[in-house]
Amino acid sequence: MDKFVINGGAPLKGEVAISGSKNSSLPILAATLLTPERCVIRGVPDLSDTRFMVEIIKHIGAEAEFKDGVVTVEARKIRTIAPYDLVRKMRASVCLLGPLLGRRRKAKVSVPGGCIIGPRPIDIHLKGFRALGADVRIEKGYVIADGKNMAGGTMFLGGRFGSTVLGTANVMMAAAVTKGTTVIESAACEPEVVDLAQFLVKMGAQIHGAGSPTVTIHGVEHLHGAEHTVIPDRIEAGTFMTAAAVTGGHVTLKGARPDHLGAVIDKLLEAGVKVERAGPDMVVRGEGRREPADVITMPYPGFPTDMQAQFMTLMTITPGISVITEKIYPERFMHVAELGRLGANIALEGSSAIVKGMPKLSGAPIMASDLRASAALVLAGLVAHGQTTVNRVYHIDRGYERIDEKLRALGARIERQK
Ligand code: EPZ
């Protein structure tokens, strides 16, 4: 297993190119199964998760190739089963249900396990498919869906924690080729849902309202092949913006979409970080007086749960008290204990973390746990005095393309070691 060895204290300076969005690529790659014709997806980040999704769609029977950020897929004939030993490795595989139901009118996909940030249920996905008239049951750990009687329907996809991103994606993909009109109320509004809708429309789907809480889909007979470039990764961008802030650096982000980062920019400005637009680029400067800022994670356009851990790292060295409340995954605090090992002062109260800013962190060996918590630990290592070793960095490689190379190019003293 690889680890990162980081010697803290170097302010990040220079330019970083933001890669394509992982969370946009995964459902879009699944959507290529909706047509037997050739699809070309560009700007796909080279991550273990995206490579894995390509492997899964090949296992299902599609021809697929992933080279230099471009995925070419021809799903002429597809099976309808996604087995446990594949799905358990990446719960986002659950978004295969929609395309399989849409294309073959049946699906057998292993129920994804939980993961370290929480139980990850799919009850709202299944509610959506049932509203389309599919017969859905869970047997021996598999979702078994029969869609022969499917027709457009109206459904409400809101849950205790807001809507569901992949649930909205799943229903959109099935409804796109299901006769009749489907109306999704309380749909997820994330940019990744909009990107998927845009790809489906390029394939011939009729979808209106993506990005708003009400999405209307008029089913069509068939979808044809299409080409698409995925949006930049707003969480990678937010992570590098926070890294510039944490290290007191001066970083220009190339290729990020400021319009996808409203809540993150708002909180960084509140924390005293300078964020400016320079034409299409964003410039983040971390020098200057810092203020603590409270955060509550919410569905888009609120503050993203995937940025909660990274922002907490910034607050651990910001004088004052900040309260960070996690409303999407109330247990998403694996990073707290590890940050504590570096000297952070964080008290957990239910789904809130009370962070008391310290003058400094000091380096130590720490353990990565989930994707975004691991990024937060790397950020802490960049500013901690002395050496920090982050173990199990495979978690990070799932969602960040060559993060150590990009950080080193910005002046960070970070080495990957076997
Ligand atoms: C997507 O997961 C992202 N993953 C997650 O990013 C992200 O944290 C999450 O959206 C929230 O923004 C991908 O896009 C691949 P949800 P998703 O369904 O769609 C509950 C990362 O780090 N819920 O929007 O699975 C659920 O438990 C990953 O890149 C139900 O109760 O998330 C959670 O509390 C981590 N029933 C909340 O809703 C359901 O049927 C939001 O989940 C579905 C979800």
Side-chain angles (χ1 to χ4, degrees), residues 22-23 91 120-125 161 164-166 305-306 328-329 332 372:
K22 165 178 88 82
N23 291 349
R91 66 168 310 282
R120 311 301 293 272
I122 59 168
D123 54 313
I124 306 174
H125 296 237
F161 303 100
T164 161
V165 174
L166 287 182
T305 174
D306 292 349
I328 309 297
Y329 297 107
R332 193 176 197 170
R372 307 303 176 183

mmCIF file with all atom_site columns, all heavy atoms in Angstrom, residues 22-23 91 120-125 161 164-166 305-306 328-329 332 372, ligand 1:
data_model
loop_
_atom_site.group_PDB
_atom_site.id
_atom_site.type_symbol
_atom_site.label_atom_id
_atom_site.label_alt_id
_atom_site.label_comp_id
_atom_site.label_asym_id
_atom_site.label_entity_id
_atom_site.label_seq_id
_atom_site.pdbx_PDB_ins_code
_atom_site.Cartn_x
_atom_site.Cartn_y
_atom_site.Cartn_z
_atom_site.occupancy
_atom_site.B_iso_or_equiv
_atom_site.pdbx_formal_charge
_atom_site.auth_seq_id
_atom_site.auth_comp_id
_atom_site.auth_asym_id
_atom_site.auth_atom_id
_atom_site.pdbx_PDB_model_num
ATOM   1   N N   . LYS A 1 22  ? -15.191 13.303 -11.179 1.00 0.00 ? 22  LYS A N   1
ATOM   2   C CA  . LYS A 1 22  ? -15.420 11.863 -10.910 1.00 0.00 ? 22  LYS A CA  1
ATOM   3   C C   . LYS A 1 22  ? -16.919 11.609 -10.838 1.00 0.00 ? 22  LYS A C   1
ATOM   4   O O   . LYS A 1 22  ? -17.438 10.702 -11.484 1.00 0.00 ? 22  LYS A O   1
ATOM   5   C CB  . LYS A 1 22  ? -14.775 11.469 -9.593  1.00 0.00 ? 22  LYS A CB  1
ATOM   6   C CG  . LYS A 1 22  ? -15.245 10.133 -9.034  1.00 0.00 ? 22  LYS A CG  1
ATOM   7   C CD  . LYS A 1 22  ? -14.555 9.742  -7.758  1.00 0.00 ? 22  LYS A CD  1
ATOM   8   C CE  . LYS A 1 22  ? -15.219 10.262 -6.532  1.00 0.00 ? 22  LYS A CE  1
ATOM   9   N NZ  . LYS A 1 22  ? -16.371 9.466  -6.055  1.00 0.00 ? 22  LYS A NZ  1
ATOM   10  N N   . ASN A 1 23  ? -17.626 12.451 -10.076 1.00 0.00 ? 23  ASN A N   1
ATOM   11  C CA  . ASN A 1 23  ? -19.041 12.168 -9.812  1.00 0.00 ? 23  ASN A CA  1
ATOM   12  C C   . ASN A 1 23  ? -19.948 12.504 -10.978 1.00 0.00 ? 23  ASN A C   1
ATOM   13  O O   . ASN A 1 23  ? -21.129 12.183 -10.954 1.00 0.00 ? 23  ASN A O   1
ATOM   14  C CB  . ASN A 1 23  ? -19.485 12.877 -8.534  1.00 0.00 ? 23  ASN A CB  1
ATOM   15  C CG  . ASN A 1 23  ? -18.826 12.241 -7.319  1.00 0.00 ? 23  ASN A CG  1
ATOM   16  O OD1 . ASN A 1 23  ? -18.216 11.175 -7.421  1.00 0.00 ? 23  ASN A OD1 1
ATOM   17  N ND2 . ASN A 1 23  ? -18.931 12.897 -6.182  1.00 0.00 ? 23  ASN A ND2 1
ATOM   18  N N   . ARG A 1 91  ? -19.634 1.610  -4.535  1.00 0.00 ? 91  ARG A N   1
ATOM   19  C CA  . ARG A 1 91  ? -21.081 1.675  -4.381  1.00 0.00 ? 91  ARG A CA  1
ATOM   20  C C   . ARG A 1 91  ? -21.729 2.507  -5.482  1.00 0.00 ? 91  ARG A C   1
ATOM   21  O O   . ARG A 1 91  ? -22.907 2.367  -5.743  1.00 0.00 ? 91  ARG A O   1
ATOM   22  C CB  . ARG A 1 91  ? -21.468 2.167  -3.011  1.00 0.00 ? 91  ARG A CB  1
ATOM   23  C CG  . ARG A 1 91  ? -21.089 3.575  -2.704  1.00 0.00 ? 91  ARG A CG  1
ATOM   24  C CD  . ARG A 1 91  ? -21.786 4.001  -1.469  1.00 0.00 ? 91  ARG A CD  1
ATOM   25  N NE  . ARG A 1 91  ? -23.201 3.696  -1.545  1.00 0.00 ? 91  ARG A NE  1
ATOM   26  C CZ  . ARG A 1 91  ? -24.073 4.418  -2.225  1.00 0.00 ? 91  ARG A CZ  1
ATOM   27  N NH1 . ARG A 1 91  ? -23.640 5.432  -2.936  1.00 0.00 ? 91  ARG A NH1 1
ATOM   28  N NH2 . ARG A 1 91  ? -25.348 4.112  -2.230  1.00 0.00 ? 91  ARG A NH2 1
ATOM   29  N N   . ARG A 1 120 ? -25.405 4.295  3.524   1.00 0.00 ? 120 ARG A N   1
ATOM   30  C CA  . ARG A 1 120 ? -25.602 4.438  2.060   1.00 0.00 ? 120 ARG A CA  1
ATOM   31  C C   . ARG A 1 120 ? -26.811 3.620  1.567   1.00 0.00 ? 120 ARG A C   1
ATOM   32  O O   . ARG A 1 120 ? -26.675 2.730  0.731   1.00 0.00 ? 120 ARG A O   1
ATOM   33  C CB  . ARG A 1 120 ? -24.337 4.051  1.297   1.00 0.00 ? 120 ARG A CB  1
ATOM   34  C CG  . ARG A 1 120 ? -23.059 4.682  1.787   1.00 0.00 ? 120 ARG A CG  1
ATOM   35  C CD  . ARG A 1 120 ? -23.042 6.198  1.753   1.00 0.00 ? 120 ARG A CD  1
ATOM   36  N NE  . ARG A 1 120 ? -23.072 6.795  0.442   1.00 0.00 ? 120 ARG A NE  1
ATOM   37  C CZ  . ARG A 1 120 ? -21.987 7.059  -0.270  1.00 0.00 ? 120 ARG A CZ  1
ATOM   38  N NH1 . ARG A 1 120 ? -20.810 6.735  0.159   1.00 0.00 ? 120 ARG A NH1 1
ATOM   39  N NH2 . ARG A 1 120 ? -22.101 7.631  -1.448  1.00 0.00 ? 120 ARG A NH2 1
ATOM   40  N N   . PRO A 1 121 ? -28.016 3.825  2.078   1.00 0.00 ? 121 PRO A N   1
ATOM   41  C CA  . PRO A 1 121 ? -29.193 3.076  1.616   1.00 0.00 ? 121 PRO A CA  1
ATOM   42  C C   . PRO A 1 121 ? -29.576 3.462  0.182   1.00 0.00 ? 121 PRO A C   1
ATOM   43  O O   . PRO A 1 121 ? -29.115 4.488  -0.332  1.00 0.00 ? 121 PRO A O   1
ATOM   44  C CB  . PRO A 1 121 ? -30.276 3.513  2.600   1.00 0.00 ? 121 PRO A CB  1
ATOM   45  C CG  . PRO A 1 121 ? -29.848 4.851  3.065   1.00 0.00 ? 121 PRO A CG  1
ATOM   46  C CD  . PRO A 1 121 ? -28.346 4.838  3.086   1.00 0.00 ? 121 PRO A CD  1
ATOM   47  N N   . ILE A 1 122 ? -30.393 2.634  -0.452  1.00 0.00 ? 122 ILE A N   1
ATOM   48  C CA  . ILE A 1 122 ? -30.866 2.964  -1.817  1.00 0.00 ? 122 ILE A CA  1
ATOM   49  C C   . ILE A 1 122 ? -32.393 2.901  -1.886  1.00 0.00 ? 122 ILE A C   1
ATOM   50  O O   . ILE A 1 122 ? -32.970 2.768  -2.974  1.00 0.00 ? 122 ILE A O   1
ATOM   51  C CB  . ILE A 1 122 ? -30.244 2.023  -2.871  1.00 0.00 ? 122 ILE A CB  1
ATOM   52  C CG1 . ILE A 1 122 ? -30.589 0.553  -2.565  1.00 0.00 ? 122 ILE A CG1 1
ATOM   53  C CG2 . ILE A 1 122 ? -28.752 2.214  -2.972  1.00 0.00 ? 122 ILE A CG2 1
ATOM   54  C CD1 . ILE A 1 122 ? -30.257 -0.390 -3.707  1.00 0.00 ? 122 ILE A CD1 1
ATOM   55  N N   . ASP A 1 123 ? -33.067 3.038  -0.753  1.00 0.00 ? 123 ASP A N   1
ATOM   56  C CA  . ASP A 1 123 ? -34.537 2.938  -0.725  1.00 0.00 ? 123 ASP A CA  1
ATOM   57  C C   . ASP A 1 123 ? -35.215 3.940  -1.652  1.00 0.00 ? 123 ASP A C   1
ATOM   58  O O   . ASP A 1 123 ? -36.225 3.634  -2.299  1.00 0.00 ? 123 ASP A O   1
ATOM   59  C CB  . ASP A 1 123 ? -35.059 3.102  0.716   1.00 0.00 ? 123 ASP A CB  1
ATOM   60  C CG  . ASP A 1 123 ? -34.553 4.387  1.363   1.00 0.00 ? 123 ASP A CG  1
ATOM   61  O OD1 . ASP A 1 123 ? -33.338 4.672  1.277   1.00 0.00 ? 123 ASP A OD1 1
ATOM   62  O OD2 . ASP A 1 123 ? -35.364 5.136  1.919   1.00 0.00 ? 123 ASP A OD2 1
ATOM   63  N N   . ILE A 1 124 ? -34.639 5.125  -1.785  1.00 0.00 ? 124 ILE A N   1
ATOM   64  C CA  . ILE A 1 124 ? -35.286 6.155  -2.624  1.00 0.00 ? 124 ILE A CA  1
ATOM   65  C C   . ILE A 1 124 ? -35.099 5.826  -4.109  1.00 0.00 ? 124 ILE A C   1
ATOM   66  O O   . ILE A 1 124 ? -35.987 6.033  -4.936  1.00 0.00 ? 124 ILE A O   1
ATOM   67  C CB  . ILE A 1 124 ? -34.755 7.561  -2.299  1.00 0.00 ? 124 ILE A CB  1
ATOM   68  C CG1 . ILE A 1 124 ? -34.889 7.863  -0.800  1.00 0.00 ? 124 ILE A CG1 1
ATOM   69  C CG2 . ILE A 1 124 ? -35.517 8.618  -3.092  1.00 0.00 ? 124 ILE A CG2 1
ATOM   70  C CD1 . ILE A 1 124 ? -34.257 9.175  -0.368  1.00 0.00 ? 124 ILE A CD1 1
ATOM   71  N N   . HIS A 1 125 ? -33.933 5.203  -4.436  1.00 0.00 ? 125 HIS A N   1
ATOM   72  C CA  . HIS A 1 125 ? -33.757 4.727  -5.826  1.00 0.00 ? 125 HIS A CA  1
ATOM   73  C C   . HIS A 1 125 ? -34.905 3.768  -6.167  1.00 0.00 ? 125 HIS A C   1
ATOM   74  O O   . HIS A 1 125 ? -35.537 3.862  -7.218  1.00 0.00 ? 125 HIS A O   1
ATOM   75  C CB  . HIS A 1 125 ? -32.445 3.938  -5.965  1.00 0.00 ? 125 HIS A CB  1
ATOM   76  C CG  . HIS A 1 125 ? -31.195 4.702  -5.728  1.00 0.00 ? 125 HIS A CG  1
ATOM   77  N ND1 . HIS A 1 125 ? -30.185 4.809  -6.655  1.00 0.00 ? 125 HIS A ND1 1
ATOM   78  C CD2 . HIS A 1 125 ? -30.737 5.368  -4.642  1.00 0.00 ? 125 HIS A CD2 1
ATOM   79  C CE1 . HIS A 1 125 ? -29.177 5.515  -6.158  1.00 0.00 ? 125 HIS A CE1 1
ATOM   80  N NE2 . HIS A 1 125 ? -29.497 5.857  -4.949  1.00 0.00 ? 125 HIS A NE2 1
ATOM   81  N N   . PHE A 1 161 ? -32.422 13.241 4.335   1.00 0.00 ? 161 PHE A N   1
ATOM   82  C CA  . PHE A 1 161 ? -31.178 14.022 4.193   1.00 0.00 ? 161 PHE A CA  1
ATOM   83  C C   . PHE A 1 161 ? -31.187 14.831 2.897   1.00 0.00 ? 161 PHE A C   1
ATOM   84  O O   . PHE A 1 161 ? -30.160 15.144 2.346   1.00 0.00 ? 161 PHE A O   1
ATOM   85  C CB  . PHE A 1 161 ? -29.975 13.066 4.203   1.00 0.00 ? 161 PHE A CB  1
ATOM   86  C CG  . PHE A 1 161 ? -29.909 12.208 5.422   1.00 0.00 ? 161 PHE A CG  1
ATOM   87  C CD1 . PHE A 1 161 ? -30.360 10.890 5.377   1.00 0.00 ? 161 PHE A CD1 1
ATOM   88  C CD2 . PHE A 1 161 ? -29.461 12.719 6.636   1.00 0.00 ? 161 PHE A CD2 1
ATOM   89  C CE1 . PHE A 1 161 ? -30.325 10.084 6.506   1.00 0.00 ? 161 PHE A CE1 1
ATOM   90  C CE2 . PHE A 1 161 ? -29.427 11.921 7.777   1.00 0.00 ? 161 PHE A CE2 1
ATOM   91  C CZ  . PHE A 1 161 ? -29.859 10.605 7.715   1.00 0.00 ? 161 PHE A CZ  1
ATOM   92  N N   . THR A 1 164 ? -31.491 12.608 -3.515  1.00 0.00 ? 164 THR A N   1
ATOM   93  C CA  . THR A 1 164 ? -30.429 11.635 -3.747  1.00 0.00 ? 164 THR A CA  1
ATOM   94  C C   . THR A 1 164 ? -29.839 11.888 -5.124  1.00 0.00 ? 164 THR A C   1
ATOM   95  O O   . THR A 1 164 ? -30.568 11.895 -6.130  1.00 0.00 ? 164 THR A O   1
ATOM   96  C CB  . THR A 1 164 ? -30.951 10.188 -3.653  1.00 0.00 ? 164 THR A CB  1
ATOM   97  O OG1 . THR A 1 164 ? -30.009 9.321  -4.302  1.00 0.00 ? 164 THR A OG1 1
ATOM   98  C CG2 . THR A 1 164 ? -32.324 9.992  -4.256  1.00 0.00 ? 164 THR A CG2 1
ATOM   99  N N   . VAL A 1 165 ? -28.515 12.094 -5.166  1.00 0.00 ? 165 VAL A N   1
ATOM   100 C CA  . VAL A 1 165 ? -27.851 12.416 -6.432  1.00 0.00 ? 165 VAL A CA  1
ATOM   101 C C   . VAL A 1 165 ? -27.918 11.227 -7.383  1.00 0.00 ? 165 VAL A C   1
ATOM   102 O O   . VAL A 1 165 ? -28.464 11.303 -8.487  1.00 0.00 ? 165 VAL A O   1
ATOM   103 C CB  . VAL A 1 165 ? -26.387 12.842 -6.183  1.00 0.00 ? 165 VAL A CB  1
ATOM   104 C CG1 . VAL A 1 165 ? -25.648 13.044 -7.500  1.00 0.00 ? 165 VAL A CG1 1
ATOM   105 C CG2 . VAL A 1 165 ? -26.341 14.116 -5.338  1.00 0.00 ? 165 VAL A CG2 1
ATOM   106 N N   . LEU A 1 166 ? -27.397 10.082 -6.931  1.00 0.00 ? 166 LEU A N   1
ATOM   107 C CA  . LEU A 1 166 ? -27.393 8.919  -7.836  1.00 0.00 ? 166 LEU A CA  1
ATOM   108 C C   . LEU A 1 166 ? -28.795 8.354  -8.029  1.00 0.00 ? 166 LEU A C   1
ATOM   109 O O   . LEU A 1 166 ? -29.096 7.757  -9.059  1.00 0.00 ? 166 LEU A O   1
ATOM   110 C CB  . LEU A 1 166 ? -26.432 7.841  -7.318  1.00 0.00 ? 166 LEU A CB  1
ATOM   111 C CG  . LEU A 1 166 ? -24.954 8.174  -7.475  1.00 0.00 ? 166 LEU A CG  1
ATOM   112 C CD1 . LEU A 1 166 ? -24.097 7.020  -6.972  1.00 0.00 ? 166 LEU A CD1 1
ATOM   113 C CD2 . LEU A 1 166 ? -24.582 8.514  -8.912  1.00 0.00 ? 166 LEU A CD2 1
ATOM   114 N N   . THR A 1 305 ? -21.178 18.271 1.286   1.00 0.00 ? 305 THR A N   1
ATOM   115 C CA  . THR A 1 305 ? -20.643 17.346 2.290   1.00 0.00 ? 305 THR A CA  1
ATOM   116 C C   . THR A 1 305 ? -19.243 16.871 1.889   1.00 0.00 ? 305 THR A C   1
ATOM   117 O O   . THR A 1 305 ? -18.397 16.641 2.765   1.00 0.00 ? 305 THR A O   1
ATOM   118 C CB  . THR A 1 305 ? -21.574 16.137 2.486   1.00 0.00 ? 305 THR A CB  1
ATOM   119 O OG1 . THR A 1 305 ? -20.960 15.200 3.353   1.00 0.00 ? 305 THR A OG1 1
ATOM   120 C CG2 . THR A 1 305 ? -21.913 15.448 1.176   1.00 0.00 ? 305 THR A CG2 1
ATOM   121 N N   . ASP A 1 306 ? -18.973 16.788 0.596   1.00 0.00 ? 306 ASP A N   1
ATOM   122 C CA  . ASP A 1 306 ? -17.665 16.302 0.142   1.00 0.00 ? 306 ASP A CA  1
ATOM   123 C C   . ASP A 1 306 ? -16.544 17.305 0.396   1.00 0.00 ? 306 ASP A C   1
ATOM   124 O O   . ASP A 1 306 ? -15.380 16.995 0.148   1.00 0.00 ? 306 ASP A O   1
ATOM   125 C CB  . ASP A 1 306 ? -17.709 15.957 -1.353  1.00 0.00 ? 306 ASP A CB  1
ATOM   126 C CG  . ASP A 1 306 ? -18.583 14.767 -1.616  1.00 0.00 ? 306 ASP A CG  1
ATOM   127 O OD1 . ASP A 1 306 ? -18.979 14.103 -0.645  1.00 0.00 ? 306 ASP A OD1 1
ATOM   128 O OD2 . ASP A 1 306 ? -18.897 14.493 -2.784  1.00 0.00 ? 306 ASP A OD2 1
ATOM   129 N N   . ILE A 1 328 ? -25.744 15.612 5.797   1.00 0.00 ? 328 ILE A N   1
ATOM   130 C CA  . ILE A 1 328 ? -25.974 14.620 4.748   1.00 0.00 ? 328 ILE A CA  1
ATOM   131 C C   . ILE A 1 328 ? -25.557 13.231 5.228   1.00 0.00 ? 328 ILE A C   1
ATOM   132 O O   . ILE A 1 328 ? -26.289 12.256 5.090   1.00 0.00 ? 328 ILE A O   1
ATOM   133 C CB  . ILE A 1 328 ? -25.199 15.007 3.454   1.00 0.00 ? 328 ILE A CB  1
ATOM   134 C CG1 . ILE A 1 328 ? -25.490 16.455 3.046   1.00 0.00 ? 328 ILE A CG1 1
ATOM   135 C CG2 . ILE A 1 328 ? -25.509 14.016 2.334   1.00 0.00 ? 328 ILE A CG2 1
ATOM   136 C CD1 . ILE A 1 328 ? -26.935 16.734 2.680   1.00 0.00 ? 328 ILE A CD1 1
ATOM   137 N N   . TYR A 1 329 ? -24.361 13.139 5.789   1.00 0.00 ? 329 TYR A N   1
ATOM   138 C CA  . TYR A 1 329 ? -23.875 11.875 6.375   1.00 0.00 ? 329 TYR A CA  1
ATOM   139 C C   . TYR A 1 329 ? -23.453 12.188 7.809   1.00 0.00 ? 329 TYR A C   1
ATOM   140 O O   . TYR A 1 329 ? -22.292 12.541 8.059   1.00 0.00 ? 329 TYR A O   1
ATOM   141 C CB  . TYR A 1 329 ? -22.659 11.343 5.620   1.00 0.00 ? 329 TYR A CB  1
ATOM   142 C CG  . TYR A 1 329 ? -22.924 10.989 4.180   1.00 0.00 ? 329 TYR A CG  1
ATOM   143 C CD1 . TYR A 1 329 ? -22.445 11.786 3.150   1.00 0.00 ? 329 TYR A CD1 1
ATOM   144 C CD2 . TYR A 1 329 ? -23.668 9.864  3.844   1.00 0.00 ? 329 TYR A CD2 1
ATOM   145 C CE1 . TYR A 1 329 ? -22.691 11.478 1.832   1.00 0.00 ? 329 TYR A CE1 1
ATOM   146 C CE2 . TYR A 1 329 ? -23.912 9.545  2.509   1.00 0.00 ? 329 TYR A CE2 1
ATOM   147 C CZ  . TYR A 1 329 ? -23.412 10.356 1.516   1.00 0.00 ? 329 TYR A CZ  1
ATOM   148 O OH  . TYR A 1 329 ? -23.657 10.059 0.206   1.00 0.00 ? 329 TYR A OH  1
ATOM   149 N N   . ARG A 1 332 ? -20.014 11.318 9.188   1.00 0.00 ? 332 ARG A N   1
ATOM   150 C CA  . ARG A 1 332 ? -18.840 11.568 8.324   1.00 0.00 ? 332 ARG A CA  1
ATOM   151 C C   . ARG A 1 332 ? -17.768 12.368 9.057   1.00 0.00 ? 332 ARG A C   1
ATOM   152 O O   . ARG A 1 332 ? -17.432 13.486 8.709   1.00 0.00 ? 332 ARG A O   1
ATOM   153 C CB  . ARG A 1 332 ? -19.301 12.279 7.054   1.00 0.00 ? 332 ARG A CB  1
ATOM   154 C CG  . ARG A 1 332 ? -18.247 12.294 5.977   1.00 0.00 ? 332 ARG A CG  1
ATOM   155 C CD  . ARG A 1 332 ? -18.767 12.908 4.701   1.00 0.00 ? 332 ARG A CD  1
ATOM   156 N NE  . ARG A 1 332 ? -17.903 12.563 3.585   1.00 0.00 ? 332 ARG A NE  1
ATOM   157 C CZ  . ARG A 1 332 ? -18.174 12.782 2.322   1.00 0.00 ? 332 ARG A CZ  1
ATOM   158 N NH1 . ARG A 1 332 ? -19.307 13.389 1.974   1.00 0.00 ? 332 ARG A NH1 1
ATOM   159 N NH2 . ARG A 1 332 ? -17.345 12.423 1.358   1.00 0.00 ? 332 ARG A NH2 1
ATOM   160 N N   . ARG A 1 372 ? -12.602 11.721 1.003   1.00 0.00 ? 372 ARG A N   1
ATOM   161 C CA  . ARG A 1 372 ? -12.477 13.164 1.285   1.00 0.00 ? 372 ARG A CA  1
ATOM   162 C C   . ARG A 1 372 ? -11.779 13.389 2.625   1.00 0.00 ? 372 ARG A C   1
ATOM   163 O O   . ARG A 1 372 ? -11.048 14.346 2.794   1.00 0.00 ? 372 ARG A O   1
ATOM   164 C CB  . ARG A 1 372 ? -13.847 13.836 1.265   1.00 0.00 ? 372 ARG A CB  1
ATOM   165 C CG  . ARG A 1 372 ? -14.642 13.570 0.015   1.00 0.00 ? 372 ARG A CG  1
ATOM   166 C CD  . ARG A 1 372 ? -13.919 13.993 -1.247  1.00 0.00 ? 372 ARG A CD  1
ATOM   167 N NE  . ARG A 1 372 ? -14.682 13.624 -2.432  1.00 0.00 ? 372 ARG A NE  1
ATOM   168 C CZ  . ARG A 1 372 ? -14.262 13.817 -3.677  1.00 0.00 ? 372 ARG A CZ  1
ATOM   169 N NH1 . ARG A 1 372 ? -13.091 14.358 -3.893  1.00 0.00 ? 372 ARG A NH1 1
ATOM   170 N NH2 . ARG A 1 372 ? -15.001 13.452 -4.701  1.00 0.00 ? 372 ARG A NH2 1
HETATM 171 C C1  . EPZ B 2 .   ? -23.210 11.223 -4.332  1.00 0.00 ? 1   EPZ B C1  1
HETATM 172 O O1  . EPZ B 2 .   ? -23.455 10.028 -3.632  1.00 0.00 ? 1   EPZ B O1  1
HETATM 173 C C2  . EPZ B 2 .   ? -21.707 11.354 -4.410  1.00 0.00 ? 1   EPZ B C2  1
HETATM 174 N N1  . EPZ B 2 .   ? -21.149 10.182 -5.096  1.00 0.00 ? 1   EPZ B N1  1
HETATM 175 C C3  . EPZ B 2 .   ? -21.108 11.458 -3.005  1.00 0.00 ? 1   EPZ B C3  1
HETATM 176 O O2  . EPZ B 2 .   ? -19.721 11.707 -3.164  1.00 0.00 ? 1   EPZ B O2  1
HETATM 177 C C4  . EPZ B 2 .   ? -21.732 12.654 -2.297  1.00 0.00 ? 1   EPZ B C4  1
HETATM 178 O O3  . EPZ B 2 .   ? -21.224 12.725 -0.989  1.00 0.00 ? 1   EPZ B O3  1
HETATM 179 C C5  . EPZ B 2 .   ? -23.257 12.484 -2.267  1.00 0.00 ? 1   EPZ B C5  1
HETATM 180 O O4  . EPZ B 2 .   ? -23.747 12.352 -3.626  1.00 0.00 ? 1   EPZ B O4  1
HETATM 181 C C6  . EPZ B 2 .   ? -23.970 13.664 -1.627  1.00 0.00 ? 1   EPZ B C6  1
HETATM 182 O O5  . EPZ B 2 .   ? -23.645 14.832 -2.325  1.00 0.00 ? 1   EPZ B O5  1
HETATM 183 C C7  . EPZ B 2 .   ? -21.254 10.094 -6.426  1.00 0.00 ? 1   EPZ B C7  1
HETATM 184 O O6  . EPZ B 2 .   ? -21.827 10.940 -7.087  1.00 0.00 ? 1   EPZ B O6  1
HETATM 185 C C8  . EPZ B 2 .   ? -20.607 8.898  -7.066  1.00 0.00 ? 1   EPZ B C8  1
HETATM 186 P P1  . EPZ B 2 .   ? -27.071 10.616 -2.103  1.00 0.00 ? 1   EPZ B P1  1
HETATM 187 P P2  . EPZ B 2 .   ? -24.973 9.444  -3.555  1.00 0.00 ? 1   EPZ B P2  1
HETATM 188 O O7  . EPZ B 2 .   ? -27.879 9.513  -2.664  1.00 0.00 ? 1   EPZ B O7  1
HETATM 189 O O8  . EPZ B 2 .   ? -25.728 9.795  -4.773  1.00 0.00 ? 1   EPZ B O8  1
HETATM 190 C C9  . EPZ B 2 .   ? -29.351 9.294  1.805   1.00 0.00 ? 1   EPZ B C9  1
HETATM 191 C C10 . EPZ B 2 .   ? -17.445 11.299 -2.925  1.00 0.00 ? 1   EPZ B C10 1
HETATM 192 O O9  . EPZ B 2 .   ? -16.700 11.541 -1.982  1.00 0.00 ? 1   EPZ B O9  1
HETATM 193 N N2  . EPZ B 2 .   ? -30.042 8.368  0.902   1.00 0.00 ? 1   EPZ B N2  1
HETATM 194 O O10 . EPZ B 2 .   ? -27.264 11.999 -2.621  1.00 0.00 ? 1   EPZ B O10 1
HETATM 195 O O11 . EPZ B 2 .   ? -24.876 8.016  -3.172  1.00 0.00 ? 1   EPZ B O11 1
HETATM 196 C C11 . EPZ B 2 .   ? -27.865 8.973  1.936   1.00 0.00 ? 1   EPZ B C11 1
HETATM 197 O O12 . EPZ B 2 .   ? -27.670 8.017  2.961   1.00 0.00 ? 1   EPZ B O12 1
HETATM 198 C C12 . EPZ B 2 .   ? -18.816 10.693 -2.700  1.00 0.00 ? 1   EPZ B C12 1
HETATM 199 O O13 . EPZ B 2 .   ? -17.178 11.550 -4.148  1.00 0.00 ? 1   EPZ B O13 1
HETATM 200 C C13 . EPZ B 2 .   ? -31.125 7.636  1.386   1.00 0.00 ? 1   EPZ B C13 1
HETATM 201 O O14 . EPZ B 2 .   ? -31.502 7.747  2.546   1.00 0.00 ? 1   EPZ B O14 1
HETATM 202 O O15 . EPZ B 2 .   ? -25.523 10.271 -2.319  1.00 0.00 ? 1   EPZ B O15 1
HETATM 203 C C14 . EPZ B 2 .   ? -27.282 10.310 2.297   1.00 0.00 ? 1   EPZ B C14 1
HETATM 204 O O16 . EPZ B 2 .   ? -27.457 10.529 3.670   1.00 0.00 ? 1   EPZ B O16 1
HETATM 205 C C15 . EPZ B 2 .   ? -19.014 10.329 -1.233  1.00 0.00 ? 1   EPZ B C15 1
HETATM 206 N N3  . EPZ B 2 .   ? -31.762 6.779  0.532   1.00 0.00 ? 1   EPZ B N3  1
HETATM 207 C C16 . EPZ B 2 .   ? -28.138 11.301 1.520   1.00 0.00 ? 1   EPZ B C16 1
HETATM 208 O O17 . EPZ B 2 .   ? -29.367 10.612 1.224   1.00 0.00 ? 1   EPZ B O17 1
HETATM 209 C C17 . EPZ B 2 .   ? -31.379 6.632  -0.776  1.00 0.00 ? 1   EPZ B C17 1
HETATM 210 O O18 . EPZ B 2 .   ? -32.023 5.851  -1.507  1.00 0.00 ? 1   EPZ B O18 1
HETATM 211 C C18 . EPZ B 2 .   ? -27.526 11.753 0.212   1.00 0.00 ? 1   EPZ B C18 1
HETATM 212 O O19 . EPZ B 2 .   ? -27.207 10.594 -0.516  1.00 0.00 ? 1   EPZ B O19 1
HETATM 213 C C19 . EPZ B 2 .   ? -30.285 7.388  -1.246  1.00 0.00 ? 1   EPZ B C19 1
HETATM 214 C C20 . EPZ B 2 .   ? -29.631 8.257  -0.392  1.00 0.00 ? 1   EPZ B C20 1
#
